[in-house]
Amino acid sequence: MPTPKKSSSTSRSTKTSSKGGGTAAAKKTAAKGSSSKPKSAAPKSAPAAPAAKEEKAEKPAGGPPKDKNIVMKPPIVVKDLATKMGLKPFQLVHQLMEMNVFAALTQAIEEDVAVKVCEANGFKFEVEKREKGAGQVHAPEKVVEPPKPEPIKEEDLQTRPPVITFMGHVDHGKTSLLDAIRQSNVTEGEAGGITQHIGAYQIERKGQKITFLDTPGHEAFTAMRARGANATDIAILVVAADDGVMPTTKEAISHVKAAGVQLMVAVNKCDLPAANPDKVKGQLQEHEVSVEDYGGDIISCDVSATKGTGLENLIENMLLQSEVLELKASYKGHARGVIIEGQSEVGRGNTATVLVQSGVLKVGDAMLVGPLYGRVKALINDRGERVKEAGPSMPVKVLGLDGAPVPGEEFTVMRNEKEARSVAEERASKERVGKLEKGSVVTLENLFARTAKDQKKILKMVLKADVQGSLEAVKDSLLKIDSDKIEVDFVHAGIGPVTENDILLAKASDAIVVGFNTKTDGSAASASKREEVQIKLYSIIYELIDQVKDAMAGLLDPEEREAHLGKAVVKQVFKLSKFPVAGCLVDSGRIERKARARVLRGKTPIYDGGIHTLKRFQDDASEVKAGLECGIRLGDFNDYEVNDVIECYTLEKVAQSL
């Protein structure tokens, strides 16, 4: 009969399970019993016993696991990790921001970042390992660093154009001089006539090409000027004939000497009535720059950018100097060079102005710059024309990188994009770990030091600039503002226009938004009004630094200073029924009813507070001047003695300086 057979199999299944035969044995027995029955006769309760045991095994009592292990497969998405730790996503995002890691809820983070943030919350993080060889046919080849350049053969070397840098003090005519040589108009495009970032240009004279780097002359751009010197073959020191050697001129000389490049001198503005080229050359001699006119070996040319005087002579000497230097480079192999400028442009994305130093850079090359990589989508020369390749000493703008590189970094062309990505990700990971490890541990010994540091006022700032070089220069200038009372803290610093995210970040951080040579997009303008966050835009660095100094001073609480009004000497103490009163003679100045008073016995202060009553004879008085007698009662002070001195003063609030 079906029913006895069914109950027999069920009891046999339960018995096997209770003896520790395992879930698999129970399922096998249940399946065997059910196979001998029609489907309609199989009751639902047959597999219930083993299923219930499985469910109980999966949910042990006692809450979360004691070891608090979190195991995840990559990619490690922020939202998923927050769920694993029992945090709300925005809480995890906030913790990541404190670690200088900015990631959205749907973005993935690196394994090392996940380990750090889990440790901070008391969890241990592990990446789920696959079995060896599982899930991939070929294991990717890990590339740690780009291959070293192969030795250049002598027969591969060819003459290359010289790279020339104009250096010198602000407003001495560097850009105007280059403008006259290029017969274009660069200066008018610069705010206030001051060069704000490095430009690279190429001209051709007498069948020979010359590459120019125009570096800013303002002292705030020292770092950029140093990069310009390191990327050049010949540095032309521009000195105004009417102004002479200035502090920035001296700095430029130091950078040229440190870079070990050939120096030339261009004495500009020789057409002015106050021009004195000989005086300039004498000043240069004092700074170990000996020109040919003074028996030295450094070429000097008297020029005028506005009149065009002496320009051809200057260009001829440039070409002559480059021939003497015998500048050569290889036009074979993967291209290598240096980043002149990095920026983010509307419609083009991230771009980089590069100077090729060896090899030929072509469209389609896989390019690596520090932690950035990309495939070269387009090459644009200094005239705005698209070119297919760029050889040594040729400056071009590159499109296709996944970020804006830092000026001065070297770029390398890799064999393929896969290798470039691998190296870039490895470098980015190392940088991120380095930033995370910089955080100091709070100990009892350094707790008081940290507390004292926190007492300083902090001006928080979101800084945006047009290009990376300008961003660095502005940051360096602001960080150099000397003050023991207040410091600048950059909540965020980046390139591109001021966006709505910048406004929201400033609102959350109580920061100000400052833009240099950039603009504000539409959403940011409306967000600024909505969130009541002020945006300050500048195009000249002098104004930016001065106004930031004013803002820093405005954050300081005004100091309270005592203004001495006068003093009175106690001559007699009158003991009235309720309280004593000091009978005084005003010795100097005046005593005011609304002012404060301090009682001195000998030279020791024994009371400091307000004046309760001031009388002249029987009448209340607002003030009593020197030489007159008065009665004084001070707050709740009752211990007057003859010859006590009562000093009268007011507290004035005085604005602090940096």
Side-chain angles (χ1 to χ4, degrees), residues 49-63:
K53 283 185 174 282
E54 285 180 6
E55 189 175 346
K56 286 181 181 179
E58 289 175 1
K59 295 183 179 179

PDB file of all heavy atoms in Angstrom, residues 49-63:
ATOM      1  N   ALA A  49      11.322  18.370   7.650  1.00  0.00           N
ATOM      2  CA  ALA A  49      12.268  18.181   8.749  1.00  0.00           C
ATOM      3  C   ALA A  49      13.691  18.569   8.370  1.00  0.00           C
ATOM      4  O   ALA A  49      14.335  19.352   9.063  1.00  0.00           O
ATOM      5  CB  ALA A  49      12.206  16.734   9.237  1.00  0.00           C
ATOM      6  N   PRO A  50      14.235  18.073   7.221  1.00  0.00           N
ATOM      7  CA  PRO A  50      15.607  18.467   6.860  1.00  0.00           C
ATOM      8  C   PRO A  50      15.697  19.942   6.526  1.00  0.00           C
ATOM      9  O   PRO A  50      16.691  20.584   6.811  1.00  0.00           O
ATOM     10  CB  PRO A  50      15.935  17.590   5.654  1.00  0.00           C
ATOM     11  CG  PRO A  50      14.613  17.108   5.145  1.00  0.00           C
ATOM     12  CD  PRO A  50      13.719  17.021   6.343  1.00  0.00           C
ATOM     13  N   ALA A  51      14.674  20.518   5.888  1.00  0.00           N
ATOM     14  CA  ALA A  51      14.729  21.948   5.527  1.00  0.00           C
ATOM     15  C   ALA A  51      14.796  22.805   6.767  1.00  0.00           C
ATOM     16  O   ALA A  51      15.517  23.791   6.825  1.00  0.00           O
ATOM     17  CB  ALA A  51      13.503  22.313   4.694  1.00  0.00           C
ATOM     18  N   ALA A  52      14.017  22.405   7.794  1.00  0.00           N
ATOM     19  CA  ALA A  52      14.025  23.176   9.035  1.00  0.00           C
ATOM     20  C   ALA A  52      15.391  23.136   9.694  1.00  0.00           C
ATOM     21  O   ALA A  52      15.864  24.119  10.251  1.00  0.00           O
ATOM     22  CB  ALA A  52      12.955  22.630   9.979  1.00  0.00           C
ATOM     23  N   LYS A  53      16.048  21.968   9.639  1.00  0.00           N
ATOM     24  CA  LYS A  53      17.376  21.853  10.238  1.00  0.00           C
ATOM     25  C   LYS A  53      18.380  22.727   9.508  1.00  0.00           C
ATOM     26  O   LYS A  53      19.252  23.337  10.101  1.00  0.00           O
ATOM     27  CB  LYS A  53      17.832  20.388  10.219  1.00  0.00           C
ATOM     28  CG  LYS A  53      17.161  19.543  11.295  1.00  0.00           C
ATOM     29  CD  LYS A  53      17.741  18.151  11.295  1.00  0.00           C
ATOM     30  CE  LYS A  53      17.189  17.341  12.467  1.00  0.00           C
ATOM     31  NZ  LYS A  53      17.839  17.705  13.708  1.00  0.00           N
ATOM     32  N   GLU A  54      18.234  22.779   8.157  1.00  0.00           N
ATOM     33  CA  GLU A  54      19.142  23.626   7.381  1.00  0.00           C
ATOM     34  C   GLU A  54      18.978  25.081   7.770  1.00  0.00           C
ATOM     35  O   GLU A  54      19.938  25.823   7.940  1.00  0.00           O
ATOM     36  CB  GLU A  54      18.874  23.454   5.884  1.00  0.00           C
ATOM     37  CG  GLU A  54      19.405  22.146   5.323  1.00  0.00           C
ATOM     38  CD  GLU A  54      19.105  22.026   3.843  1.00  0.00           C
ATOM     39  OE1 GLU A  54      18.593  22.995   3.275  1.00  0.00           O
ATOM     40  OE2 GLU A  54      19.399  20.986   3.276  1.00  0.00           O
ATOM     41  N   GLU A  55      17.717  25.510   7.907  1.00  0.00           N
ATOM     42  CA  GLU A  55      17.441  26.916   8.231  1.00  0.00           C
ATOM     43  C   GLU A  55      18.019  27.276   9.597  1.00  0.00           C
ATOM     44  O   GLU A  55      18.590  28.337   9.794  1.00  0.00           O
ATOM     45  CB  GLU A  55      15.937  27.157   8.207  1.00  0.00           C
ATOM     46  CG  GLU A  55      15.574  28.632   8.318  1.00  0.00           C
ATOM     47  CD  GLU A  55      14.092  28.858   8.179  1.00  0.00           C
ATOM     48  OE1 GLU A  55      13.393  27.914   7.734  1.00  0.00           O
ATOM     49  OE2 GLU A  55      13.652  29.946   8.516  1.00  0.00           O
ATOM     50  N   LYS A  56      17.896  26.353  10.564  1.00  0.00           N
ATOM     51  CA  LYS A  56      18.434  26.608  11.886  1.00  0.00           C
ATOM     52  C   LYS A  56      19.953  26.669  11.862  1.00  0.00           C
ATOM     53  O   LYS A  56      20.574  27.456  12.556  1.00  0.00           O
ATOM     54  CB  LYS A  56      17.982  25.522  12.860  1.00  0.00           C
ATOM     55  CG  LYS A  56      16.511  25.651  13.248  1.00  0.00           C
ATOM     56  CD  LYS A  56      16.137  24.575  14.230  1.00  0.00           C
ATOM     57  CE  LYS A  56      14.651  24.672  14.624  1.00  0.00           C
ATOM     58  NZ  LYS A  56      14.271  23.613  15.555  1.00  0.00           N
ATOM     59  N   ALA A  57      20.550  25.853  11.014  1.00  0.00           N
ATOM     60  CA  ALA A  57      22.008  25.847  10.921  1.00  0.00           C
ATOM     61  C   ALA A  57      22.532  27.139  10.325  1.00  0.00           C
ATOM     62  O   ALA A  57      23.607  27.611  10.656  1.00  0.00           O
ATOM     63  CB  ALA A  57      22.471  24.648  10.086  1.00  0.00           C
ATOM     64  N   GLU A  58      21.747  27.731   9.379  1.00  0.00           N
ATOM     65  CA  GLU A  58      22.204  28.954   8.718  1.00  0.00           C
ATOM     66  C   GLU A  58      22.066  30.166   9.630  1.00  0.00           C
ATOM     67  O   GLU A  58      22.704  31.180   9.427  1.00  0.00           O
ATOM     68  CB  GLU A  58      21.407  29.192   7.436  1.00  0.00           C
ATOM     69  CG  GLU A  58      21.765  28.195   6.335  1.00  0.00           C
ATOM     70  CD  GLU A  58      20.862  28.379   5.119  1.00  0.00           C
ATOM     71  OE1 GLU A  58      20.014  29.272   5.145  1.00  0.00           O
ATOM     72  OE2 GLU A  58      21.024  27.614   4.167  1.00  0.00           O
ATOM     73  N   LYS A  59      21.211  30.149  10.623  1.00  0.00           N
ATOM     74  CA  LYS A  59      20.962  31.300  11.486  1.00  0.00           C
ATOM     75  C   LYS A  59      21.261  30.950  12.936  1.00  0.00           C
ATOM     76  O   LYS A  59      20.370  30.721  13.743  1.00  0.00           O
ATOM     77  CB  LYS A  59      19.511  31.766  11.371  1.00  0.00           C
ATOM     78  CG  LYS A  59      19.172  32.287   9.983  1.00  0.00           C
ATOM     79  CD  LYS A  59      17.745  32.803   9.942  1.00  0.00           C
ATOM     80  CE  LYS A  59      17.396  33.347   8.572  1.00  0.00           C
ATOM     81  NZ  LYS A  59      16.013  33.837   8.498  1.00  0.00           N
ATOM     82  N   PRO A  60      22.551  30.852  13.269  1.00  0.00           N
ATOM     83  CA  PRO A  60      22.887  30.532  14.655  1.00  0.00           C
ATOM     84  C   PRO A  60      22.536  31.683  15.563  1.00  0.00           C
ATOM     85  O   PRO A  60      22.582  32.833  15.177  1.00  0.00           O
ATOM     86  CB  PRO A  60      24.408  30.316  14.608  1.00  0.00           C
ATOM     87  CG  PRO A  60      24.863  31.132  13.447  1.00  0.00           C
ATOM     88  CD  PRO A  60      23.750  31.093  12.462  1.00  0.00           C
ATOM     89  N   ALA A  61      22.226  31.363  16.802  1.00  0.00           N
ATOM     90  CA  ALA A  61      21.877  32.403  17.773  1.00  0.00           C
ATOM     91  C   ALA A  61      23.137  33.111  18.236  1.00  0.00           C
ATOM     92  O   ALA A  61      24.230  32.590  18.147  1.00  0.00           O
ATOM     93  CB  ALA A  61      21.151  31.766  18.962  1.00  0.00           C
ATOM     94  N   GLY A  62      22.971  34.335  18.742  1.00  0.00           N
ATOM     95  CA  GLY A  62      24.117  35.047  19.319  1.00  0.00           C
ATOM     96  C   GLY A  62      24.487  36.305  18.593  1.00  0.00           C
ATOM     97  O   GLY A  62      25.528  36.872  18.844  1.00  0.00           O
ATOM     98  N   GLY A  63      23.669  36.807  17.591  1.00  0.00           N
ATOM     99  CA  GLY A  63      23.930  38.086  16.931  1.00  0.00           C
ATOM    100  C   GLY A  63      25.027  37.976  15.887  1.00  0.00           C
ATOM    101  O   GLY A  63      25.267  36.915  15.320  1.00  0.00           O
TER     102      GLY A  63
END
